Amino acid sequence: MANLNIDAVKERTFQAIVIGSGMSGSWAAKELCEHGVKTLVIERGRNVKHIKDYPTTNMLPYEFEHRGQIPLEVQKENPIVSRCYAFREDAAHFFVKDKEHPYVQEKPFDWIRGYQVGGKSLLWARQVQRWSDFDFEGPARDGFAVDWPIRYKDIAPWYSHVEKFAGVSGNKDGLPHLPDGEFLPGFPLNVVEKYFQYQLKKHYGDSRHMILARCAHITGNLDYYAQQGRAKCQSRNLCQRGCPFGGYFSANASTLPWAEKTGNMTLRTNAVVHSIIYDEAKGKATGVRIVDTQSKEMEEYFADVIFVNGSALNTNLILLNSTSYRFPNGLGNDNGLLGKYVAFHNYRAGISAEYHGHLEYTTQGGRPTSGYFPRFRNVFKQETDFLRGYAAGFSAYRGTYADQSGIGMELKENLLNPDKYGPWGISSHMMGETIPKESNYVALDPNQKDEWGIPLLRINVEYDDNDEKMVKDYLEQMTEMFEKAGFTNIKTRDDRRAPGLDIHEMGGVRMGRDPKTSLLNANHQLHAVPNVYVTDGASMTSTATQNPSLTYMAFAARAAHHAMKTFG
Amino acid sequence: MKRRDALRSLALITGGLVLVPSCDFSKEDILAAYKNLQITPSLKQLLAGIADTIIPPGNIKGAADLSVQDFILVMVNDCVDENGQQAFMKGLQAFEGFSKKTSGKNFSKLTKEEKENLILSGLSTEEENEKDIRSFLETTKRFTIQGFMLSEYIQTEVKPYSLIPGDYKGEVLIADIKTERING
C-alpha cells in the first residue's frame, strides 16, 4: 500500500461490507442495498450469474459422459466431497474439491463447501422449517451451552419477511414446536404418507406427527415473484444444477439480483478474506483485508459496518485470523471462546421398509420435498436419558421397474415397457440435535497456510454419548412406528458418517447475553466490536433439529435492519 | 547421423500420411482413449457383438447400432475400480476361448440363439476358472442396459426424456394409467 492516496481509499470505501455471498450474506446485502446502503459484497470464489452460469441445467441424461456418475479418479482425488450425496456429474462444478482447499482434520470431519457467488444456496436441499421457543429456550431449560439472548417473538416477523420473499411452500399444521409461516400452497403428500399420518394419530394420539416438509419453492403468488424474475417451480428435481426458472430460492436467482438492481451493490469476486481490520484509535473495525485469488495481492476495503457471512467455519477462521494489539486471539475474542462450542446435526441413522397396502395406487411427477417428522422427544418436558431430540425425513415412493433377468429381445422389451410395480418403498433419515461443547472447536494451524497465506483451519469435532443414545432411540422408535403401521422388511442403518456431512456445521461465534460466555449479543454484534455482525451458522448458540438456513436468512435480515438503525 | 535423421523424417512423413486414413477408420486414436484398458479393435468388435446380443436390433435399434460398446469402455475405464477393470479385461480376453470350449466355435460364427445361450451360461457359471467371464459379462450387461436406455436415441426418439416431468400427483390409480406398449 505504498502508493496509497486519498482517491484510492475513497474508491475502496463503502458504507457496509458483507463477507460472503451465499444464503445469509446475500440476505444482508439485499436488505442493506434496498435501503440505500452502498454495500460491497466480497466472495472468495468466481461469479455465478443466474441462468448464464448454470452450464448443466438443461442437459439431457445422455449428454453426461458418465450419465451422472463421478469418475473414480476424481473420487480418489476428492474423498471428502465425494461422500456428499449431491456431488454428481451434473453439479460437481459447484463444489470445492478437497485438494484445492485443504484443512486439518484433528478428528474426521467432512467439510462440504461451495466457493462461488451464491455459495451453497445453489446446492442446498431447500428445507425451511421454523424454530420455536422449544428450541430457543433449550439451552436454558436443559442446562447446556448458554441461554439464547433472543426468543421466537424476536425472530418471528423476520421469518415472515424472509419466507415471503424467498417463497416457501407448505401447509399450516398448527404445531407449537414447528410454527407455521407465510406459506404458498404445499406439494401433496402421497396416499401412503397420508396413511402413515393416520396410523400415527391412531397409535400415538396427538403426540407424534408426520407432516409435509416446508421447502423454499415457489408454488403460487406468481405476480409477486415475477418482480424478482422468478417463476413457479416446475418440479424438475434438478435443483442442484441451478434453476433457470428461479423456482427455488438461491442467492443467485433472488437476493443478489435484487440487491444489484438497486445500484448500491458492488460485487468483488475471487477475493479471499484474510482478516478484518481493527482500528485501535477508533475502537472499531474499519475494513477488510482480502487476497486476490489470481494476483495473490493483498487489498484493503473500508466500511462503517461489516457483516461476516463466510459460512460457519470460515467465519470462525476469518475472526480468528483478525488479530491486533487489542485482540491478539482473534477479533472480539476477549473470553477465549471464539471457535469453541461448534456443533452440527447428526444424520447418521436411517431406516427403510416396504408396505404392501394401497397397491392399486402409485405417484406421478416430481416433488422437490418430502414428509417431515418434527421432533417428538423431550419437547414439552425431559423424558429420556439423553438431551434434546431429532427430527426426521419421511417419504413413501412407488415406481415401475423392469425385469432385467434375461437377455435378448425379452430383456429389450422388458426395459422399454417397465410395467411391473413392487411394494411401496418407505424411508426415513434422522436429523439429530447435537449439544455444543467447548471441546468441539476449530482453531488456526500454527504453521500451515493455504496458497493465499491464510492459516489452515484445524477441526476438532466429534460425537458424544448423547448422540449415540439418540441414534439408538431414533432407530428403536422408528422401528416401532413402522411396525405399528404395518410396514415390513424393516432395515435400520447407522452409517457412522463423520460429522460435517450433514452440511449443517454451526457455532464458534455464539450469541449470548453475557460477554464473558458468548461472542455476539442479541443483535448479532460482536460484544467487543459492535460494528461487526455475524449472522451465519457461526452465530448459533444451539442447533435445534430443523434445517438451519431459514434461521440464518432471518438473522441476516434482522441484523441488517439493526445496523441501519444503529449506524445510520 | 544422416541415416538416422532420414529415417526419422521418413517416420514423420509416413506417420503423418498414415494418420489421415487412420482417422477415417477411427482405430488407434479411439482405442488410446481407454488408457486403463488394453483394447484392440478386435476386442472392441467382440464387445459390440456381445452387447448386441444382450440388446439386439429389431423395430428399435440395438446396442451396437448405438455404439453402446464405446459407452461400456468409457465407464469401465473411468468408473470401475482396478480389480473390476482387470476382471473385465481378463474376461473379455478369455471370451473367445470360452466360446470355443462351450460351443465349439468363435463367437462371431454362432447363430443368434447360440450367442444368447453362450452369454446366459457365462452369466450363470459357477466354475471357479470362469469367474472372470461371469464378472465381465455382468459388467457388460449392466453398462449395456444403462448405455442403451440413456442413449440419445432412446431418450429422444423412443421414450423422450422430459426436463419438466410435471406436477406431483400422490394418489394415482394404476388402473387409470395408460401407456402404449413399445415393441422392441
Side-chain angles (χ1 to χ4, degrees), chain B residues 70-88:
Chain B
D70 292 348
F71 174 73
I72 297 169
L73 290 171
V74 165
M75 292 302 281
V76 174
N77 188 73
D78 293 354
C79 296
V80 169
D81 67 21
E82 220 170 297
N83 288 341
Q85 286 176 349
Q86 277 173 10
F88 178 87

Side-chain angles (χ1 to χ4, degrees), chain A residues 9-10 12-19 40 42 275-290 299-308 322-324 327 331 526 528-533 567:
Chain A
V9 170
K10 212 171 162 187
R12 289 164 188 276
T13 300
F14 298 82
Q15 289 171 292
I17 291 175
V18 177
I19 300 169
L40 174 70
I42 299 175
S275 53
I276 294 165
I277 303 162
Y278 182 78
D279 188 312
E280 312 274 340
K282 292 178 181 158
K284 64 174 188 176
T286 52
V288 173
R289 281 184 205 96
I290 64 114
E299 295 169 21
E300 296 184 341
Y301 292 93
F302 307 97
D304 302 325
V305 173
I306 294 159
F307 271 74
V308 195
S322 300
T323 54
S324 57
F327 295 109
L331 193 68
L526 279 175
V529 193
N531 70 329
V532 174
Y533 289 79
F567 298 94

